Amino acid sequence: MQDSEVEFNYILSDISFKGLLIHLGISISRIYEENLITMERNEMRLLKKENEWKIAEYIGERLSSSFELEITDSELGFITIHLVGAKLQNDIESEKISESHLEKLNRELYTELRRIIDSISKITGYNFKQDKKLFTGLFLHLRTAVKRIKNDIRLPYIDGIAKTFESRNYFSLLFSFLTALTIQLVGSSQVWLNVFSGALVAVVAIYLLHRFSKGKTIGDIADVEIANVELKNSELYVDDIYVSNLLGSENASKMYQKEGIAAIIYPKEEHFRITLDNFGQRQAALFEATRAVGVKRYHFTRKDYKKGRVVITLVPIIQDKDAFIEAIKKTPLLENVKKSHNVMDTNLAGRK
């Protein structure tokens, strides 16, 4: 994003910049889950006339190269929508254009949103009508949301949050029911016995449900072992797997040779390669590893296409190989692997 700002002299405020980054992050996750979008021809034709289309193409090329993604024209169109929205918000906040410009974009949405804000102002007694930043943010968010709904675009993060909180509600109801039922069945004249019995049943139920509902991790589908770091003419290898030639100076190479640590992930079965080959899953493992031992400098992940092995390597702040391996093993499997029943079969006794 910063490169695109320099390349196209396209400067955004901090709020607009952060908002755009969030939308791009969600789009990357959505594409990994193959939740792609298809936009109408007429809408695409109009979007390609926007100045932001060229910026979207530039960003799309960088994302495609960095994250191994295929960015379609429809995805570029969606990025363009966010770019236009971010620029509009930036221009209105800096008073380069007036708020009335929003009405030209979508008169129906503008009028309806004005009516809603007027109603809320009357109910609360607070004059929200004077808050330009609030109105602009709501308008641009709803404008994008309408396009997202029309094109049936689902947000994976929101879906995951909804599933998590919904399951917690059901678990709470179940624990309450079992506790109350136990107390009624025991029916002792001694209150402490009733309370103890109910609490005991609740604890057992929590333990079993925790085992049953526990998300799968890399350790469930793969073995993780420490590997040797080797440098050949400034090229980094982990065991026999080529990783990178981007170490730079001789001092950097010496530091990696001396302080670098690496692990190789071996899939336990052939079909588990599908999960481990996912770029997002590998990045998640790298993130968990860096979170556990820190990063002094450099961090890489690489996959071996022939055998399905995955390399995680970095120069850590804390030299703790056990913590490094454990962090990788405990990396949760991403939402998209739940499509595989072989991966998600639950073992009540926990990981073997």
Side-chain angles (χ1 to χ4, degrees), residues 100-345:
S100 60
H101 182 75
L102 299 178
E103 189 174 4
K104 298 176 183 177
L105 296 176
N106 191 324
R107 183 182 296 273
E108 185 179 357
L109 177 59
Y110 182 91
T111 304
E112 187 63 24
L113 187 56
R114 272 289 175 212
R115 187 187 65 79
I116 292 171
I117 288 182
D118 288 346
S119 299
I120 294 174
S121 296
K122 290 177 182 178
I123 294 171
T124 61
Y126 182 84
N127 190 7
F128 289 102
K129 294 184 287 185
Q130 301 300 318
D131 194 334
K132 291 183 179 181
K133 186 179 291 187
L134 172 66
F135 182 83
T136 303
L138 281 173
F139 178 90
L140 295 174
H141 178 78
L142 290 173
R143 181 169 176 258
T144 305
V146 169
K147 292 181 182 294
R148 178 170 56 79
I149 293 168
K150 283 183 177 179
N151 290 284
D152 193 29
I153 303 169
R154 298 176 61 195
L155 301 181
Y157 291 159
I158 303 300
D159 287 346
I161 292 170
K163 289 176 184 176
T164 299
F165 277 92
E166 186 176 10
S167 64
R168 286 178 181 178
N169 288 335
Y170 286 126
F171 285 172
S172 297
L173 287 171
L174 180 60
F175 297 149
S176 300
F177 171 74
L178 290 174
T179 303
L181 180 64
T182 302
I183 290 174
Q184 289 296 320
L185 291 175
V186 171
S188 173
S189 57
Q190 310 221 358
V191 176
W192 71 267
L193 182 59
N194 294 331
V195 173
F196 176 79
S197 301
L200 180 63
V201 169
V203 169
V204 172
I206 290 171
Y207 174 79
L208 292 175
L209 281 173
H210 172 72
R211 288 296 188 183
F212 180 76
S213 61
K214 183 176 74 73
K216 291 294 181 179
T217 62
I218 284 179
D220 292 315
I221 66 169
D223 295 316
V224 184
E225 298 178 4
I226 284 290
N228 294 320
V229 174
E230 186 178 359
L231 286 160
K232 301 177 182 178
N233 299 323
S234 77
E235 293 183 342
L236 174 63
Y237 286 81
V238 172
D239 285 357
D240 60 336
I241 303 172
Y242 170 77
V243 177
S244 177
N245 62 354
L246 301 176
L247 292 183
S249 66
E250 184 179 346
N251 288 336
S253 298
K254 288 180 179 179
M255 181 180 69
Y256 214 107
Q257 182 76 64
K258 181 180 180 181
E259 302 181 37
I261 60 174
I264 295 181
I265 304 172
Y266 299 87
K268 291 180 179 179
E269 297 181 28
E270 186 68 18
H271 60 269
F272 290 152
R273 288 183 58 176
I274 298 171
T275 300
L276 296 175
D277 280 355
N278 184 289
F279 181 79
Q281 187 64 65
R282 288 186 281 127
Q283 286 294 314
L286 181 60
F287 171 78
E288 291 297 329
T290 57
R291 196 163 67 99
V293 295
V295 181
K296 179 181 288 187
R297 193 172 183 186
Y298 302 117
H299 56 280
F300 302 102
T301 176
R302 181 72 66 177
K303 66 179 178 181
D304 173 19
Y305 292 91
K306 292 182 180 179
K307 299 180 181 179
R309 297 174 297 172
V310 173
V311 172
I312 304 292
T313 181
L314 53 90
V315 178
I317 295 173
I318 302 171
Q319 288 288 338
D320 189 337
K321 293 182 179 180
D322 291 336
F324 177 64
I325 292 293
E326 193 63 21
I328 296 172
K329 285 183 177 180
K330 289 184 177 179
T331 301
L333 299 184
L334 301 181
E335 186 76 14
N336 59 337
V337 304
K338 293 183 179 179
K339 298 173 184 177
S340 171
H341 297 294
N342 290 323
V343 172
M344 297 311 295
D345 282 344

